[in-house]
Amino acid sequence: MSLSEAARKVRENAHAPYSNFKVGAAIRASSGAVYIGCNVENVAYPEGTCAEAGAIAAMVAAGDTAITEAYVIADSPTPVPPCGGCRQKLAEFAKGNVRVTLATVAGGELVTTVGDLLPGAFGASHMENS
Ligand code: THU
């Protein structure tokens, strides 16, 4: 199954009764395996988690540590941009040149990279004096 199909399918399982905004994410890891996630909201709103976070957690739990491609989809007017926190989460496991496709349910796609989504990313090198 393609990343596009996997993300579109898992989006349907999102638990988003508060925002009504369902998001699906699929990532491919260096092993070739595909991991999926959807947003899981909570009545205590800050406890909700994003689709990307779910996919990344599944990847790490399975023993993979490197993202080679990512795909995110929502029913948005323009291709859904990952939130700031998810950009940092992607950057933890993906090199800057890793392709991220942002998509709409209607079929729109915007291809970008982890580096373009998070320019000037905070990284381990910034802690070298500590
Ligand atoms: N959301 C995601 O799952 N990923 C994103 O990249 C953007 C936002 C979710 C969080 C929340 O459940 C809903 O979309 C509205 O913000």
Side-chain angles (χ1 to χ4, degrees), residues 122-130:
F122 172 73
S125 65
H126 296 104
M127 297 189 289
E128 274 172 11
N129 292 348
S130 305

Side-chain angles (χ1 to χ4, degrees), residues 47-64:
E47 299 305 324
T49 51
C50 285
E52 298 89 328
I56 290 168
M59 178 191 79
V60 173
D64 266 312

Side-chain angles (χ1 to χ4, degrees), residues 18-35:
Y18 308 107
S19 70
N20 283 317
F21 188 69
K22 293 185 168 194
V23 185
I27 54 180
R28 192 181 313 282
S30 52
S31 69
V34 171
Y35 300 98

Side-chain angles (χ1 to χ4, degrees), residues 60-80:
V60 173
D64 266 312
T65 55
I67 298 171
T68 58
E69 196 179 348
Y71 195 103
V72 189
I73 187 167
D75 190 9
S76 44
T78 56
V80 62

